[in-house]
Amino acid sequence: MTTAEAAPLRLRIQIRGAVQGVGFRPFVYRLASEIGVPGWVINSSAGVVIEVEGAPGALEQFLLRVGRDCPPRAIVQGLEAAYLEPLGFSGFEIRESADGEKTALVLPDIATCAECLADLFDAGNRRHRYPFTNCTNCGPRFSIIEALPYDRPKTTMAGFVMCDACQREYQEPRDRRFHAQPNACPACGPHVELWDSGGGRLAAREEAMGCAEAHIARGAIVAVKGLGGFHLIVDGRNDQAVRRLRLAKGREEKPFALMFPTLASVVEACEVGDREARLLTSPEAPIVLLRRRAENRSAGVAGSVAPGNPYLGVMLPYTPLHHVLLADLGFPVVATSGNRSDEPICTDQREAIERLRGLADVFLVHDRPIARHVDDSIVRVAAGRDLVLRRARGYAPLPVSLGSQFPPVLGVGAHLKNSVALSVGANVFVSQHIGDLETVEAFGAFERVIESLERMYESKPTVVACDAHPDYLSSAYARRRGAPTRIVQHHLAHVLSCMAENEVGPPALGISWDGTGYGLDGTIWGGEFFSVGVGSAARVATFRPFPLPGGDRAVREPRRTAMALLHEVFGDDAWAMDDLATVSAFSEPERRIVRTMIERGLNTPLTSSVGRLFDAVASMAGLRQHVRYEGQAAMELEFALEGVNTGDCYPLDLVEARPPESRNAGPGSGPAESPVSVIQWSPLIRALVADLRGGCSVGVMSARFHNGLVEAAVGFARRAALERVILSGGCFQNRYLLERTIARLRAEGFRPVWHQRIPPNDGGISLGQVAAVAWNLA
Ligand SMILES: [Zn+2]
Ligand SMILES: [Zn+2]
Ligand SMILES: [Zn+2]
């Protein structure tokens, strides 16, 4: 589906790098004039900031060309773009440089630049094949910085003394390694070694690279210490090797990311648009979700890399070490985080030997310490914009500005996909992805990230904001801190994170749909609508709660949720509907148990979660009764509608409440008690069962379900009559749901707002928590 986007927008681009004094601003002026987009450009302490306004197509063209066609001496080390609401510029101006507040920004790690790449593969260069080649324009930053200001003694390069040649480069203002803090060469810098699984040295330097490559080519699992931690690498074409990795990691079906040798090799396997190509080759170099070529679905990639998935997570080499490895191998490799499931990525080689014991066959390690773990970021292109799904390398810890100063606040995030956020002045520094706080190791990483953010920015939070869930480790941590705590309801935090990154203020309608979050009425929320005003926010609508037999167990078994919904709609008859995949998926004894749980409410919480509705529909459609990873059933339901083109939708009835009062959503005031409108799903379930019995295709049922949800959102937006509609929560990672909701809201005259730089999933919660305190909503 396409989103017909005609209304003008404002595009803000922040460019970091060697862009000052090289004719960059005149170039921007000429480009803007040529494309015909008014706006301004300014040099600031943080780099060059550009704002232009115009039709989406013109802005897209501007964005693609500003990085590609810039003056030869300009080097872009980072580019962040965000679409915002237009202000009505006329003409284009080069503004006076502003040297206001000089916040010492800790910069993200930067992928290897073109010149270093040329050095790397030049047989005559003294850095030929040297895995730690870097310069002022590229290389490690966040992953080696231990304290500010950013100088070599305060990085993990402190222990390496530069040789004379490197020292000369470092001191020569005309050299591109002038003041390159991690500057190194084979004579003075870090080196690789290959270790066996007990930590014994097998080979060093060039020989170690060759041995590691031979192991990969033979189908071994090689742990590779990279930039922000270890990867586990196997030959991406070798099904047996990938299966072995799955078994060792205990990861049954969740897709693995791939690193391809070149952009051309990616294009052979996947559909790569301009925007996706830009992301792959950008200084941020994230994992990009790409649609596999339909005609070439199995070409060159083992079936077990991403079973049943029409997308692949793909990245290109982003350090010299990876460039050398991939150039030598010449084929795609699986490059997955070096950890056991749910643990943070390993960063230290001795620790890796312990923690990855039995997982990797050999270890390619090096002696440059990693100051902090930084995972690969994940981005997809949706609704014509970037949508960051995991924010880590290349993006963290760049801040989101809330516009005005407020006292320092720490947001400790949610339980899954945790990140934390710390405010300094008006800026909120959102940490790199930490992960699920399920293990001692993960909680340790969480504490270290907070400690390091506070030390780096010399900021002690006066308020700590946390989730309402009393049992979350992050909430317990917040209570232990001693500073006053504020509780921010999970789904409100989602909405506020989206408003913050889009610089959108109240009033707005916030739609927050996800898997599960702690509600304020003792139930599990996940299908919520908020009216956000100045200093107040109220839950104004929700989905009718339904039982979740077995709680977490129901999350792993979509058939349980589906059974509960069938029971709610059809009563006793539901248990005899053996023609339905859901019902026949239960044995007789299982039916008795689940039925008793539902009827007596034993270990059966209530939920209004849209994510669980996705699960239930996937179960009823016969797609999946048990999930192997979070979100699997919902993703498969999304994939099922590929190629289906219908506007039909299942009915969802809105049962209106009395006009909602404006009430604070904070814990004390409890929006749960305010009257909320309820979206009734019974008609949807009845229509779905009729379709199942009528032999309707899974794709059409999936489309009708998605479209039904979209119409429910649009229908309530009409009642709420607030122009701005915020779309947040993990469900809006679903591209079809996101794009169709945007299109339908626009068609009805609303202004939809969605995520770009901050994840719609729980990775964004920490920012929303800080915003809630800053905006007096907690
Ligand atoms: Zn470089
Ligand atoms: Zn040197
Ligand atoms: Zn959530």
Side-chain angles (χ1 to χ4, degrees):
M1 206 185 97
T2 56
T3 40
E5 237 187 294
L9 290 167
R10 173 167 50 119
L11 172 66
R12 177 187 300 159
I13 305 175
Q14 282 177 277
I15 298 178
R16 286 167 285 109
V19 284
Q20 304 188 354
V22 293
F24 201 84
R25 288 179 301 164
F27 152 72
V28 171
Y29 181 90
R30 283 192 300 273
L31 183 64
S33 310
E34 187 194 323
I35 298 176
V37 283
W40 50 263
V41 56
I42 198 167
N43 274 339
S44 80
S45 52
V48 168
V49 183
I50 306 164
E51 287 197 4
V52 284
E53 288 183 0
L59 297 183
E60 180 73 11
Q61 199 191 345
F62 184 88
L63 174 61
L64 289 171
R65 286 184 59 187
V66 78
R68 197 183 62 201
D69 301 348
C70 63
R73 284 172 54 230
I75 312 268
V76 174
Q77 296 169 353
L79 185 155
E80 270 205 307
Y83 287 93
L84 306 168
E85 295 191 352
L87 296 171
F89 298 142
S90 57
F92 195 92
E93 57 174 323
I94 297 181
R95 291 194 178 164
E96 287 298 311
S97 295
D99 241 12
E101 173 194 7
K102 248 205 164 102
T103 328
L105 284 185
V106 177
L107 295 177
D109 300 306
I110 307 164
T112 310
C113 75
E115 286 171 287
C116 285
L117 203 53
D119 289 354
L120 192 64
F121 292 111
D122 171 1
N125 192 287
R126 70 190 187 93
R127 291 189 176 83
H128 181 230
R129 292 177 60 84
Y130 178 55
F132 303 93
T133 304
N134 68 85
C135 73
T136 322
N137 301 319
C138 74
R141 300 285 186 274
F142 189 44
S143 60
I144 60 164
I145 293 174
E146 292 186 317
L148 290 177
Y150 173 49
D151 282 320
R152 190 171 175 113
K154 290 180 175 172
T155 71
T156 61
M157 284 298 290
F160 297 92
V161 179
M162 275 186 272
C163 68
D164 290 348
C166 285
Q167 188 67 38
R168 273 197 300 278
E169 293 165 340
Y170 185 85
Q171 284 167 337
E172 170 53 57
R174 283 164 305 181
D175 195 283
R176 90 170 193 280
R177 296 192 168 89
F178 177 55
H179 277 256
Q181 305 305 342
N183 190 25
C185 78
C188 66
H191 282 286
V192 294
E193 289 188 355
L194 189 73
W195 291 1
D196 63 25
S197 57
R201 194 171 95 163
L202 296 172
R205 304 201 180 200
E206 191 57 39
E207 194 197 346
M209 295 294 288
C211 286
E213 290 159 6
H215 272 95
I216 295 169
R218 278 204 303 271
I221 301 173
V222 181
V224 177
K225 182 180 175 186
L227 189 65
F230 274 81
H231 277 138
L232 290 167
I233 289 185
V234 299
D235 182 346
R237 307 163 306 173
N238 183 334
D239 206 54
Q240 218 185 336
V242 179
R243 283 175 193 280
R244 223 181 119 229
L245 178 61
R246 286 205 175 279
L247 206 63
K249 265 197 103 168
R251 179 157 154 156
E252 293 167 291
E253 290 176 17
K254 192 175 178 185
F256 281 132
L258 291 163
M259 187 180 276
F260 276 71
T262 58
L263 183 59
S265 60
V266 180
V267 172
E268 278 175 31
C270 302
E271 293 171 17
V272 185
D274 287 350
R275 186 127 201 162
E276 285 141 344
R278 192 198 77 74
L279 279 167
L280 286 167
T281 55
S282 70
E284 292 82 6
I287 295 169
V288 183
L289 293 191
L290 299 171
R291 191 184 290 270
R292 299 185 194 200
R293 284 193 183 280
E295 73 280 9
N296 208 10
R297 201 164 265 199
S298 54
V301 175
S304 50
V305 168
N309 198 316
Y311 290 86
L312 286 179
V314 171
M315 63 185 144
L316 289 175
Y318 54 84
T319 75
L321 174 67
H322 296 112
H323 275 293
V324 171
L325 267 184
L326 270 288
D328 290 349
L329 291 171
F331 55 77
V333 295
V334 164
T336 186
S337 308
N339 56 6
R340 296 193 183 271
S341 298
D342 298 330
E343 289 184 2
I345 188 169
C346 282
T347 52
D348 175 82
Q349 50 264 40
R350 289 289 159 198
E351 177 202 346
I353 293 289
E354 289 304 315
R355 280 178 53 200
L356 303 180
R357 189 181 292 280
L359 236 165
D361 299 311
V362 288
F363 292 73
L364 183 65
V365 303
H366 61 72
D367 53 352
R368 186 177 73 200
I370 295 172
R372 59 182 58 72
H373 83 276
V374 191
D375 286 90
D376 297 316
S377 294
I378 305 176
V379 184
R380 88 184 298 179
V381 174
R385 301 180 189 173
D386 300 352
L387 177 63
V388 172
L389 302 178
R390 181 161 82 192
R391 193 172 188 275
R393 178 177 51 75
Y395 300 94
L398 293 176
V400 170
S401 173
L402 293 190
S404 55
Q405 308 254 345
F406 56 97
V409 180
L410 173 70
V412 294
H415 186 64
L416 300 178
K417 296 188 170 67
N418 179 274
S419 72
V420 299
L422 177 68
S423 70
V424 179
N427 282 328
V428 187
F429 294 91
V430 183
S431 81
Q432 72 274 35
H433 165 84
I434 298 170
D436 301 352
L437 300 185
E438 301 261 279
T439 59
V440 176
E441 285 81 5
F443 189 71
F446 164 85
E447 289 186 306
R448 282 196 300 280
V449 168
I450 293 175
E451 187 267 330
S452 110
L453 270 181
E454 289 180 4
R455 185 162 38 82
M456 208 136 58
Y457 294 106
E458 293 173 355
S459 173
K460 272 281 164 219
T462 52
V463 174
V464 179
C466 66
D467 197 273
H469 200 306
D471 300 335
Y472 278 6
L473 287 179
S474 56
S475 308
Y477 170 89
R479 290 193 295 271
R480 278 206 311 275
R481 279 288 302 236
T485 55
R486 297 266 192 290
I487 289 172
V488 184
Q489 200 279 326
H490 185 97
H491 301 94
L492 180 61
H494 272 307
V495 170
L496 300 180
S497 73
C498 188
M499 292 174 72
E501 74 149 312
N502 283 288
E503 299 179 15
V504 165
L509 173 68
I511 300 182
S512 192
W513 292 353
D514 69 357
T516 46
Y518 192 81
L520 298 175
D521 58 359
T523 69
I524 299 168
W525 292 5
E528 316 311 316
F529 297 72
F530 295 89
S531 171
V532 182
V534 179
S536 76
R539 186 168 78 137
V540 289
T542 185
F543 280 70
R544 183 187 145 202
F546 50 90
L548 214 49
D552 284 345
R553 185 96 190 256
V555 177
R556 293 194 300 275
E557 293 178 30
R559 61 179 186 164
R560 287 180 173 237
T561 311
M563 203 61 238
L565 290 168
L566 289 169
H567 179 84
E568 295 285 300
V569 175
F570 299 102
D572 291 345
D573 294 346
W575 301 91
M577 296 163 87
D578 282 277
D579 56 326
L580 302 186
T582 298
V583 184
S584 63
F586 289 99
S587 66
E588 274 307 324
E590 284 174 334
R591 275 183 220 194
R592 277 196 298 277
I593 295 168
V594 174
R595 185 167 180 174
T596 308
M597 293 176 87
I598 294 171
E599 286 175 349
R600 301 202 191 148
L602 296 171
N603 187 22
T604 295
L606 290 175
T607 187
S608 51
S609 162
V610 172
R612 297 288 83 83
L613 279 182
F614 267 92
D615 285 356
V617 173
S619 160
M620 291 171 69
L623 284 172
R624 186 154 290 275
Q625 310 305 338
H626 299 261
V627 296
R628 309 287 176 217
Y629 59 91
E630 192 221 340
Q632 185 181 22
M635 277 168 56
E636 289 176 350
L637 194 59
E638 179 189 359
F639 300 153
L641 56 67
E642 298 230 344
V644 175
N645 196 359
T646 175
D648 285 0
C649 56
Y650 289 141
L652 284 154
D653 288 351
L654 179 67
V655 182
E656 272 192 84
R658 288 176 284 129
E661 306 150 38
S662 178
R663 294 187 61 169
N664 194 301
S669 45
E673 300 134 39
S674 357
V676 292
S677 298
V678 171
I679 293 170
Q680 171 60 271
W681 35 258
S682 309
L684 177 155
I685 300 296
R686 286 181 194 280
L688 177 60
V689 168
D691 269 357
L692 280 166
R693 290 182 164 157
C696 187
S697 79
V698 174
V700 169
M701 289 188 286
S702 171
R704 287 178 178 163
F705 170 66
H706 279 81
N707 296 346
L709 287 175
V710 171
E711 293 314 311
V714 173
F716 188 76
R718 268 191 234 110
R719 309 294 167 101
L722 292 165
E723 192 187 13
R724 289 196 187 88
V725 181
I726 317 296
L727 307 176
S728 189
C731 292
F732 288 103
Q733 297 175 104
N734 178 319
R735 182 169 161 181
Y736 181 89
L737 183 73
L738 177 69
E739 293 185 343
R740 193 174 173 94
T741 309
I742 291 167
R744 285 287 298 117
L745 284 169
R746 283 202 173 128
E748 301 266 338
F750 294 100
R751 300 176 84 127
V753 176
W754 65 97
H755 286 276
Q756 305 176 62
R757 300 189 294 149
I758 298 295
N761 59 46
D762 287 2
I765 290 287
S766 59
L767 171 63
Q769 290 170 339
V770 173
V773 176
W775 295 339
N776 231 351
L777 294 171

